[in-house]
Amino acid sequence: MFFWLVGLLALGLVLLLGALSLYRDWQQEQQLQTQRRNFYQVQLKEVLETTLRAVELDTVRLATSPLLQRHLLHPSTNTLELLQEDYVSLARLRPSYDQIRLLDINGHESVRINRSGKDVYQVPADALQNKAQRYYTAEGMKLAPGYTYLSPLDLNIEQNEIEVPFKPVLRMVHPVYRHTQLRGLVVVNYRAEELLQQLNNHLPAPLHPILLNDKGQWLHGGDQQDWQFMFEPQSGLAVEEPSLWQQMASQDFGQLTLGQDCLLYSWTAYGSQQALSPRWLIGLRESGKACNALTKQYQIHAAGLLGTTALAGFLLLFGWHRLRLKHLQLYHRLLINEQQLRLVTNEMGNGVIMIDAQGLTRWLNPEAERLLGWQEKEILGRCLHDIIHVTAEGENLDREECLTTHAIRTGQRQHRERDYLCTREGIIIPVSMTVSPLPKSESGGAVITFSDDREKVTAEKKLRRQAETDELTGYLNRRAILQQLEQVIRTDTEFGIIMFDLDHFKSVNDTYGHAAGDQVLIEYTRLARELLRPHDCVGRIGGEEFLLVIKHLHLNDLYQLAERVRESMDHHRCIITGHTLHVTASFGLAMHQRGESPGALLARTDKALYQAKNTGRNQVIADDSLKPASVDT
């Protein structure tokens, strides 16, 4: 009896230990499965957010560009052609943009750029359409300054017909205001095939992305039901499974079984604070596997374990061996799942780094190794912030300004369009960075994704230079030269300005035409530039009026410089269509007084120029308020 009692107690202890081991294995695999699904869910949202943010930035830049404001103020064929060239350049840079349009206040297309395959072309004026009746035009006309409207995802319609083959399109709309008056809309049609393909690429088999609109209609992942609502409005998951859809619509996130598949979903909308965006249900479908399949699988295992009590001691060793083997199999599956996660991140185009709750590196993918120049084995267990996170000037970034610190502390996803990382070779690269915190209940930490933005920064600098340059002379335009003037005043540097105006320039235009006048402006401003130092600034502030900002010269030297420029122009002869033109200029100059505003300085200089004009022209007049006795004007 004692033997059986001991045997039963031993058997019971073994069974209890086996059940606890099986329960822990179930918890580990359930946790890994949840982490895996949540990771992919975060990736899908990141793809959607990053793509739409890039489209919004382009749309806002077009709607607020100085060139468009100039065209609205002084409409002309020249400014319209420049707008068309700007839109064509952007369309060639973004192959996913199907159309870029500028609509006037009546909804009529002023500019339209179309894409046909790889070709980008401007639609002629006689083929432009009125889009006042389209829903996105009506929504765009309601927008306040600074707000953007993102349309629902649907199929493109031309001439009231759905285009074939199907062309999924998102329309980003931004209003064009001049001061407080609405003047029109900029509409960018984003071809969403690229977005949907990216969603597919971020999931390994047997996972597939799903995307539905807020009416329960399939946009992606519904096989034959995708886009069915464009032809049959009463269709989709909300119609076919109303109870399931009601459950999904009432929860921000969750999972449920649909047929033989498990759906993991969450509601999302484009996250810009000034963007009016539709809500989408985004998630993933695991084919052929119910959401509770793992639990049922372990329930079967538990039932089998209890059944072994009938075999008593004879099967005790066999049962122990089976449990041990099962444990090893589960551990192997955990390793395989971790390798799958690494494989997915290794194939991503962005750098990916995982850190623990203390900010220490756990792993990074090959793209991160390539961009940063560090091998994974060299920085495992090290604090990456202290090694690579810097300011734009290359100084160590304060931890309070670090996205990763904010994400771990608040538990909220953080994103910054412009951040800076230092490579192993000391090269500072601009990046777009996102930090997604991991649940604290699962050891915490964060996943950092970043992309190399050096090409984007170069393109932005090029566009900024174009916006600051006078198109005719190649020097600074009015806005840019006045900004230079304000910047010099803030540095408290001794400086002066020279303002000159070509004499009788209107007669040149009237007699020889505006093309001849343009040549005169180009030649005479070149004469001025040749006599200046490299760091002196030249800008066109009017038709034939120019401003020079000269640092580190006293009034006498400034006056002598103006005289040299005037004499060079007086001696120059310009050959125009067989005619020799003698064009002179009048000059006004003034030194900046401490505490003086830009407007006051310009007013004094303009007064001196006015005096030079009215007392004979072709002369230099210095402002009287600071002119020493040795300066003879």
Side-chain angles (χ1 to χ4, degrees):
M1 182 65 70
F2 180 78
F3 171 81
W4 287 109
L5 179 61
V6 172
L8 290 174
L9 289 175
L11 180 59
L13 180 60
V14 169
L15 292 176
L16 178 61
L17 293 177
L20 290 175
S21 176
L22 190 60
Y23 177 73
R24 285 195 300 269
D25 291 339
W26 171 79
Q27 281 189 318
Q28 289 177 359
E29 190 165 359
Q30 184 77 17
Q31 183 180 26
L32 182 59
Q33 184 184 71
T34 301
Q35 288 178 339
R36 178 170 174 260
R37 289 175 175 174
N38 290 340
F39 174 83
Y40 290 130
Q41 183 79 352
V42 169
Q43 290 297 305
L44 295 178
K45 287 187 176 182
E46 178 63 23
V47 169
L48 183 67
E49 187 80 7
T50 301
T51 301
L52 296 181
R53 185 180 300 108
V55 179
E56 183 186 19
L57 290 175
D58 283 340
T59 308
V60 172
R61 183 189 69 79
L62 293 178
T64 59
S65 72
L67 180 58
L68 179 55
Q69 292 297 315
R70 176 182 172 187
H71 177 70
L72 295 176
L73 181 61
H74 299 297
S76 68
T77 303
N78 183 37
T79 56
L80 183 60
E81 290 176 352
L82 291 175
L83 278 175
Q84 292 168 344
E85 292 175 3
D86 190 22
Y87 290 9
V88 169
S89 298
L90 179 60
R92 288 174 176 162
L93 186 65
R94 304 283 193 266
S96 57
Y97 290 178
D98 190 59
Q99 293 178 357
I100 301 177
R101 291 172 287 174
L102 173 63
L103 308 184
D104 63 20
I105 192 64
N106 297 314
H108 193 79
E109 296 173 336
S110 300
V111 178
R112 175 169 173 167
I113 307 301
N114 277 4
R115 177 180 300 280
S116 178
K118 294 184 179 180
D119 184 33
V120 174
Y121 64 93
Q122 170 191 326
V123 175
D126 58 359
L128 297 177
Q129 305 174 27
N130 188 288
K131 297 294 185 180
Q133 301 305 316
R134 296 308 306 275
Y135 70 90
Y136 55 84
T137 304
E139 294 296 331
M141 295 296 181
K142 302 175 186 176
L143 294 174
Y147 278 80
T148 301
Y149 170 70
L150 177 64
S151 75
L153 178 58
D154 57 18
L155 299 179
N156 195 46
I157 297 176
E158 289 294 337
Q159 303 296 340
N160 297 320
E161 294 289 337
I162 296 175
E163 279 195 80
V164 178
F166 294 163
K167 187 186 292 182
V169 171
L170 280 168
R171 299 166 186 86
M172 189 73 73
V173 183
H174 194 84
V176 178
Y177 278 86
R178 174 153 183 82
H179 301 306
T180 59
Q181 183 180 6
L182 178 65
R183 299 297 297 274
L185 303 173
V186 169
V187 182
V188 174
N189 282 23
Y190 171 75
R191 188 178 293 177
E193 291 107 325
E194 178 180 326
L195 171 61
L196 300 180
Q197 186 59 46
Q198 288 185 49
L199 295 179
N200 289 336
N201 294 340
H202 275 72
L203 296 183
L207 301 181
H208 306 281
I210 60 170
L211 187 64
L212 296 90
N213 60 23
D214 57 0
K215 297 179 180 178
Q217 297 163 332
W218 285 98
L219 304 175
H220 187 60
D223 298 326
Q224 300 300 322
Q225 299 180 64
D226 290 350
W227 311 116
Q228 188 177 1
F229 69 93
M230 295 293 295
F231 306 93
E232 300 178 22
Q234 296 301 319
S235 63
L237 188 61
V239 175
E240 298 171 358
E241 299 286 347
S243 60
L244 290 180
W245 176 249
Q246 185 177 5
Q247 176 184 346
M248 299 170 75
S250 64
Q251 299 175 345
D252 291 338
F253 59 90
Q255 66 178 25
L256 53 81
T257 299
L258 179 62
Q260 298 298 318
D261 302 339
C262 178
L263 300 186
L264 179 71
Y265 64 89
S266 63
W267 285 98
T268 186
Y270 177 49
S272 174
Q273 294 181 352
Q274 292 185 310
L276 304 182
S277 168
R279 293 176 75 232
W280 291 296
L281 186 140
I282 189 170
L284 52 91
R285 179 203 297 260
E286 189 164 3
S287 301
K289 187 176 183 180
C291 295
N292 62 348
L294 184 64
T295 300
K296 287 185 176 180
Q297 176 185 347
Y298 275 87
Q299 287 174 346
I300 294 173
H301 288 322
L305 183 63
L306 292 176
T308 59
T309 55
L311 300 179
F314 176 76
L315 297 178
L316 181 61
L317 183 60
F318 176 77
W320 174 86
H321 174 72
R322 182 189 176 104
L323 289 174
R324 182 59 181 170
L325 181 60
K326 181 62 179 178
H327 181 78
L328 292 176
Q329 290 174 343
L330 290 173
Y331 180 73
H332 181 64
R333 289 172 63 183
L334 290 174
L335 293 179
I336 291 176
N337 287 334
E338 183 177 352
Q339 290 172 357
Q340 289 178 343
L341 286 175
R342 282 181 171 265
L343 179 61
V344 172
T345 58
N346 289 348
E347 296 300 321
M348 291 179 62
N350 294 339
V352 181
I353 303 173
M354 178 179 283
I355 62 171
D356 61 19
Q358 287 72 43
L360 304 182
T361 308
R362 293 172 59 180
W363 57 264
L364 65 161
N365 72 342
E367 180 65 9
E369 291 180 332
R370 184 186 70 81
L371 291 175
L372 300 177
W374 292 91
Q375 297 296 315
E376 182 184 62
K377 61 183 179 182
E378 297 176 312
I379 57 174
L380 284 179
R382 299 176 62 181
C383 181
L384 211 57
H385 171 84
D386 299 334
I387 302 174
I388 66 171
H389 212 173
V390 296
T391 64
E393 294 74 27
E395 300 177 353
N396 290 333
L397 185 69
D398 189 277
R399 283 187 176 272
E400 292 302 316
E401 300 178 13
C402 178
L403 288 182
T404 305
T405 302
H406 283 285
I408 293 178
R409 184 174 65 245
T410 64
Q412 297 178 351
R413 176 180 172 275
Q414 303 290 324
H415 177 79
R416 187 175 292 162
E417 281 295 327
R418 184 68 70 247
D419 219 328
Y420 298 91
L421 301 179
C422 183
T423 69
R424 185 175 187 175
E425 294 75 23
I427 300 173
I428 299 174
I429 57 174
V431 298
S432 174
M433 180 182 293
T434 300
V435 182
S436 301
L438 298 174
K440 293 183 179 180
S441 61
E442 299 170 5
S443 77
V447 175
I448 305 168
T449 59
F450 62 95
S451 59
D452 187 354
D453 279 357
R454 280 175 285 191
E455 293 184 1
K456 181 178 179 182
V457 169
T458 300
E460 290 174 350
K461 289 181 179 178
K462 181 179 179 181
L463 291 175
R464 190 159 48 247
R465 285 196 300 270
Q466 292 175 349
E468 295 175 351
T469 302
D470 177 59
E471 296 174 0
L472 177 64
T473 62
Y475 302 127
L476 297 177
N477 58 26
R478 178 183 180 87
R479 183 172 62 86
I481 190 66
L482 293 182
Q483 287 178 347
Q484 286 290 330
L485 177 60
E486 293 175 352
Q487 182 178 350
V488 174
I489 290 177
R490 287 195 295 269
T491 61
D492 201 23
T493 302
E494 183 183 31
F495 77 100
I497 63 173
I498 301 172
M499 191 181 297
F500 70 88
D501 187 286
L502 298 185
D503 298 327
H504 304 297
F505 182 75
K506 184 177 183 300
S507 64
V508 175
N509 282 334
D510 294 342
T511 304
Y512 302 99
H514 288 278
D518 290 347
Q519 184 175 341
V520 168
L521 288 176
I522 293 172
E523 287 196 27
Y524 279 79
T525 52
R526 175 182 55 79
L527 295 174
R529 177 75 265 182
E530 291 175 352
L531 295 174
L532 301 179
R533 299 167 298 180
H535 61 271
D536 294 334
C537 297
V538 182
R540 183 181 181 185
I541 60 175
E544 65 272 17
E545 190 173 7
F546 294 84
L547 179 66
L548 312 180
V549 180
I550 312 297
K551 295 187 289 187
H552 307 303
L553 284 185
H554 299 297
L555 181 59
N556 287 337
D557 298 327
L558 190 66
Y559 184 87
Q560 295 301 323
L561 173 61
E563 271 293 335
R564 287 196 298 274
V565 176
R566 186 198 63 77
E567 290 176 0
S568 175
M569 293 181 176
D570 191 20
H571 294 157
H572 183 70
R573 298 295 183 271
C574 186
I575 308 300
I576 302 292
T577 63
H579 299 278
T580 302
L581 301 186
H582 176 213
V583 180
T584 62
S586 300
F587 294 73
L589 59 90
M591 293 296 295
H592 177 252
Q593 304 179 47
R594 183 179 295 273
E596 187 178 29
S597 68
L601 176 59
L602 289 169
R604 291 197 296 113
T605 310
D606 188 67
K607 181 179 178 182
L609 174 59
Y610 183 82
Q611 183 179 354
K613 284 284 190 182
N614 286 278
T615 56
R617 293 185 171 82
N618 192 21
Q619 59 179 319
V620 179
I621 298 294
D623 173 63
D624 293 331
S625 61
L626 286 180
K627 180 171 61 180
S630 60
V631 176
D632 183 11
T633 62

